[in-house]
Amino acid sequence: MTNTMDIESQFLSNIKENLNAEISLGTVTNIHEAKEWLKYTFFYIRLMRNPKKYNINLGKSKDINDRKAEIEEFLQEILTTAVKSLHELRLIRHDQATNFLNSTELGRIASHFYIHSQTMDHFCKELKITDDR
């Protein structure tokens, strides 16, 4: 038991489901709030300590401000991709003019019953559920 290994976060594998839940609850209403929400997670702590584990290439600069800027950009990309996917799956509405995020009925169902976003997409296709927007 003398060998130690860092415990890394698996948060990214379910980012869409977690973000959908926060949007459904109303705690996240835009991408800026989503980024602030992410900063309170174990994922963010591990990301700051070991960015290479999460496929962030920080270049050669060791300046903490450069590192934070690159990590902020990485978080922005992750969140933008997740929001776009959730919007396409009809689980949320994303108003691009205001950047406002709002849950749909399908999103609230997925969040409340812990249904994976891809499963909700499958249900919608099989049951021929039309656009909820």
Side-chain angles (χ1 to χ4, degrees):
M1 289 262 174
T2 59
N3 293 341
T4 61
M5 288 179 45
D6 290 332
I7 298 173
E8 296 300 336
S9 173
Q10 300 301 310
F11 187 77
L12 282 182
S13 62
N14 288 309
I15 184 84
K16 289 188 295 187
E17 285 69 30
N18 291 303
L19 183 58
N20 180 52
E22 294 300 322
I23 293 168
S24 293
L25 287 171
T27 55
V28 170
T29 60
N30 58 51
I31 292 180
H32 175 73
E33 287 178 355
K35 197 184 300 184
E36 291 303 310
W37 161 71
L38 265 183
K39 290 179 181 178
Y40 286 94
T41 63
F42 177 68
F43 162 70
Y44 184 76
I45 292 168
R46 293 306 307 152
L47 179 65
M48 292 299 287
R49 290 201 181 148
N50 193 5
K52 288 182 182 178
K53 190 73 173 176
Y54 301 94
N55 298 322
I56 300 179
N57 187 3
L58 294 176
K60 295 179 182 178
S61 176
K62 293 190 178 192
D63 182 37
I64 191 73
N65 291 327
D66 289 344
R67 173 182 256 193
K68 282 186 178 181
E70 290 183 45
I71 288 175
E72 288 284 325
E73 186 178 316
F74 177 71
L75 293 177
Q76 184 73 31
E77 289 174 25
I78 289 170
L79 290 169
T80 301
T81 302
V83 164
K84 182 179 178 186
S85 179
L86 288 170
H87 180 76
E88 289 170 355
L89 292 169
R90 300 183 310 267
L91 300 181
I92 66 167
R93 289 180 201 93
H94 178 218
D95 183 352
Q96 296 199 1
T98 63
N99 243 353
F100 185 72
L101 305 172
N102 192 18
S103 187
T104 64
E105 193 61 35
L106 293 173
R108 286 187 286 279
I109 290 169
S111 173
H112 185 75
F113 295 104
Y114 301 99
I115 302 172
H116 196 276
S117 58
Q118 297 304 323
T119 304
M120 284 301 290
D121 185 43
H122 180 72
F123 285 163
C124 290
K125 286 177 182 172
E126 290 298 315
L127 298 174
K128 296 177 178 50
I129 296 174
T130 58
D131 201 355
D132 184 54
R133 293 180 215 146

